[in-house]
């Protein structure tokens, strides 16, 4: 009798430990997803204009899943300590639902990361940067967002175009319809600017003299934060789900062995 | 007189040396010093490559074909500069043909350096004009072809391949989910 009593106690202890870890991971997941949703790099307008912002949807789901995991882990600890069948049944059902949501979030984040290719941002930049007139309010909002984001990117990251300034020469663009090729082989934000925001040598910039224009592409500055977001949500969620799988299995086993 | 100099696009790494409507030329330093005096001007003749053979030097300043006449005459002259600007002791920046987008509207006698209307190809040569007419010229350059930009609709944004991470995550999660469903049914049923 004492041996099974000890075994039950150990099993309860393991389940409580598992739930504690789930609770802490829930808090971490919520914090991580709030960080991503707050968009510290200001890249959300680019995704919004691609109409493919599902990595943000995945982060939003992650916030609520994190809260749910915290609450359910507390419920689970109480249920295991009291060995209450009803509490544990509620815990199992709600955990299965949360598991399903988190699965969706992970797979969405991982899948939609693959859509963020350089060509996607190149096409968007060429078609939307400095677009003067728009078809409707939504289109105007997206074009303004893209223009502001690109201007900020070029200034802060010392870069030009997606692959480089040659993007503006290899393709025609909406920018080209309002700015002549002779005066603007690339936007003036691609020039090295002084403290007042004027190019230090406009002729040198137009000719492409090294030192007067920014020759790097901005793709690294765009894809770096987005990749970190997508992989952060996807892999951390995956890790939580693997752990939760075992805790849930253990809880189901414990529940089935509780005597009325 | 024919000078042996041949104008060319600067060979160095300048990203903007040839664009869709402009191109750069090496500055012809120390090329005209023996034949010119202070009142001479050096012009740049720009002609379509297939019209360069039929180009005749204008006999006087008044007959100089200007930028506005390019569609009909298939050639024009621009970058009117004093010969002293190309002296041996004056190193200067490269020349940019087509760099002035603001001119071209006024039908005057000023030499307009407007953007080139088509990708070309073009050939150029320098022509020294004195007060009695042309005095010296350089050789024609090799044909210069400008950039032709493609439409952004040719950019294909679809991803090339599915990364392996997605397959791993999706398959393992799917099997975990299935396992839980089976265990739940087994515990309840």
């Amino acid at each position: 009798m004492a041996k099974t009593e000890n075994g039950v106690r150990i099993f309860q202890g393991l389940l409580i430990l598992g739930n504690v870890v789930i609770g802490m991971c829930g808090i971490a997941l919520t914090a991580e997803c709030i960080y991503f949703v707050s968009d510290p790099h200001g890249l959300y307008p680019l995704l919004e204009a691609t109409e493919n912002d599902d990595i943000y949807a995945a982060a939003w789901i992650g916030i609520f899943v994190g809260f749910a995991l915290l609450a359910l882990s507390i419920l689970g600890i109480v249920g295991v300590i009291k060995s209450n069948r009803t509490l544990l049944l509620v815990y199992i059902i709600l955990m299965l639902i949360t598991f399903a949501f988190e699965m969706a979030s992970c797979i969405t984040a991982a899948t939609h990361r693959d859509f963020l290719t350089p060509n996607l941002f190149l096409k968007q930049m060429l078609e939307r940067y400095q677009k003067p007139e728009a078809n409707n309010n939504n289109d105007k909002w997206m074009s303004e967002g893209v223009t502001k984001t690109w201007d900020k990117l070029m200034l802060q990251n010392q870069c030009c175009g997606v692959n480089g300034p040659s993007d503006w020469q290899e393709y025609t663009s909406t920018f080209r319809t309002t700015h002549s090729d002779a005066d603007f082989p690339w936007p003036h934000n691609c020039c090295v600017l002084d403290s007042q925001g004027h190019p230090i040598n406009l002729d040198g910039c137009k000719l492409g003299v090294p030192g007067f224009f920014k020759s790097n592409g901005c793709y690294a500055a765009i894809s770096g934060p987005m990749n970190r977001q997508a992989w952060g949500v996807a892999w951390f969620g995956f890790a939580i789900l693997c752990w939760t799988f075992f805790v849930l299995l253990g809880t189901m086993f414990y529940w089935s062995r509780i005597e009325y | 007189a024919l000078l042996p100099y041949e104008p060319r696009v600067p060979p160095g790494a300048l990203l903007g040396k040839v664009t869709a409507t402009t191109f750069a030329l090496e500055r012809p330093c120390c090329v005209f010093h023996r034949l010119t005096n202070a009142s001479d001007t050096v012009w740049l003749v720009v002609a379509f490559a297939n019209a360069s053979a039929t180009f005749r030097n204008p006999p006087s300043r008044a007959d100089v074909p200007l930028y506005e006449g390019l569609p009909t005459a298939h050639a024009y002259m621009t970058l009117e500069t004093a010969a002293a600007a190309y002296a041996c002791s004056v190193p200067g920046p490269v020349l940019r043909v087509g760099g002035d987008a603001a001119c071209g509207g006024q039908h005057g006698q000023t030499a307009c350096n407007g953007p080139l209307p088509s990708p070309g190809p073009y050939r150029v040569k320098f022509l020294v004009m004195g007060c009695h007419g042309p005095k010296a010229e350089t050789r024609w350059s090799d044909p210069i072809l400008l950039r032709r930009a493609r439409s952004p609709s040719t950019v294909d944004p679809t991803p090339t391949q599915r990364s392996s991470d997605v397959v791993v995550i999706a398959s393992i999660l799917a099997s975990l989910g299935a396992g839980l469903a089976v265990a739940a049914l087994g515990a309840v049923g």
Side-chain angles (χ1 to χ4, degrees):
Chain A
M1 194 58 198
K3 222 168 132 206
T4 50
E5 191 62 30
N6 269 345
V8 169
R9 286 268 175 258
I10 292 175
F11 196 63
Q12 275 182 326
L14 284 176
L15 285 181
I16 290 172
L17 175 68
N19 276 305
V20 165
V21 171
I22 289 179
M24 293 196 301
C25 286
I27 297 176
L29 183 67
T30 301
E32 179 198 37
C33 290
I34 288 179
Y35 171 74
F36 286 137
V37 165
S38 71
D39 194 21
H41 296 273
L43 294 173
Y44 182 67
L46 295 185
L47 281 183
E48 196 184 17
T50 64
E51 289 168 357
N52 186 3
D53 57 355
D54 284 340
I55 59 173
Y56 275 85
W60 275 108
I61 295 178
I63 294 178
F64 295 113
V65 164
F67 273 127
L69 286 177
L70 176 65
L72 285 178
S73 69
I74 295 174
L75 177 68
I77 292 173
V78 169
V80 164
I81 290 177
K82 291 196 168 157
S83 292
N84 185 329
R85 277 205 117 192
T86 318
L87 278 182
L88 284 181
L89 185 62
V90 168
Y91 168 84
I92 289 171
I93 293 174
L94 290 180
M95 261 299 202
L96 284 175
I97 296 174
T98 309
F99 193 94
F101 270 104
E102 183 58 16
M103 250 176 70
S105 163
C106 284
I107 295 179
T108 303
T111 316
H112 284 272
R113 156 67 200 90
D114 283 347
F115 283 102
L116 304 178
T117 56
N119 276 352
L120 178 70
F121 295 111
L122 176 64
K123 188 165 178 151
Q124 182 194 72
M125 178 185 82
L126 292 171
E127 288 175 354
R128 285 203 185 271
Y129 181 72
Q130 304 242 3
K131 189 169 175 180
E133 76 284 324
N135 305 327
N136 53 43
N137 266 346
N138 195 28
D139 196 48
K140 185 159 176 284
W141 169 262
M142 291 203 283
S143 298
E144 278 173 11
V146 169
T147 303
K148 275 208 216 69
T149 306
W150 269 103
D151 284 335
K152 192 168 64 81
L153 268 176
M154 290 195 277
L155 284 174
Q156 285 180 352
N157 298 97
Q158 307 298 319
C159 60
C160 178
V162 173
N163 304 309
S166 52
D167 287 342
W168 294 105
Q169 282 294 308
E170 277 180 47
Y171 298 96
T172 59
S173 53
T174 309
F175 175 75
R176 184 63 62 229
T177 59
T178 44
H179 297 78
S180 72
D181 172 79
D183 274 336
F184 294 89
W186 31 75
H188 281 176
N189 275 341
C190 288
C191 301
V192 175
L193 303 174
D194 61 17
S195 50
Q196 271 89 34
H198 303 300
I200 57 177
N201 186 333
L202 188 57
D203 290 325
C205 177
K206 287 187 204 171
L207 275 172
V209 178
F212 295 131
F213 80 127
K214 300 163 188 167
S215 49
N216 302 325
C218 295
Y219 183 63
I222 296 174
S223 69
M226 283 190 191
N227 276 352
R228 280 196 289 279
Q229 172 167 340
W231 293 141
V233 171
W235 282 111
F236 188 50
F238 178 75
I240 293 177
L241 286 182
C242 287
W243 180 267
T244 309
F245 173 75
F246 291 110
V247 172
L248 262 182
L249 273 187
T251 311
M252 284 187 216
F253 177 69
Y254 185 79
W255 178 82
S256 64
R257 298 293 289 263
I258 296 177
E259 290 153 14
Y260 280 101
Chain B
L2 179 64
L3 298 166
Y5 175 77
E6 189 176 310
R8 62 176 186 169
V9 174
L14 285 179
L15 198 59
K17 60 184 177 184
V18 175
T19 73
T21 56
T22 70
F23 60 93
L25 280 179
E26 257 186 355
R27 197 178 184 84
C29 273
C30 216
V31 171
F32 310 109
H33 59 279
R34 274 184 285 115
L35 296 166
T36 60
N37 54 36
S39 61
D40 294 339
T41 52
V42 179
W43 290 78
L44 180 73
V45 182
V46 181
F48 285 110
N50 52 12
S52 62
T54 55
F55 180 77
R56 295 285 160 261
N57 293 335
S60 70
R61 172 75 177 74
D63 299 310
V64 163
L66 290 178
Y67 169 75
E68 291 81 2
L70 177 61
T72 46
H74 303 297
Y76 70 106
M77 288 168 61
T78 181
L79 285 183
E80 179 183 14
T81 326
Y86 296 134
C88 299
S89 55
V90 185
V94 299
L95 305 174
R96 193 159 180 251
V97 180
D100 191 359
C103 77
Q106 63 258 40
H107 297 279
Q109 285 297 303
T110 51
C112 175
N113 184 19
L116 296 161
S118 77
Y122 298 94
R123 298 181 84 178
V124 298
K125 70 173 183 182
F126 288 96
L127 185 63
V128 183
M129 296 281 281
C131 30
H132 300 293
K135 281 174 84 168
E137 58 182 346
T138 66
R139 300 219 294 254
W140 283 105
S141 69
D142 285 334
I144 298 171
L145 186 61
L146 300 183
R147 282 193 192 245
R148 255 196 198 93
R150 288 177 282 165
S151 159
S153 54
T154 59
V155 177
D156 181 18
T158 54
T160 44
Q161 56 180 13
R162 178 78 66 220
S163 68
S164 56
D165 298 51
V166 179
V167 177
V168 165
I169 289 181
S171 55
I172 294 183
L173 284 184
S175 46
L176 290 185
L180 276 183
V182 165
L185 288 174
V188 170

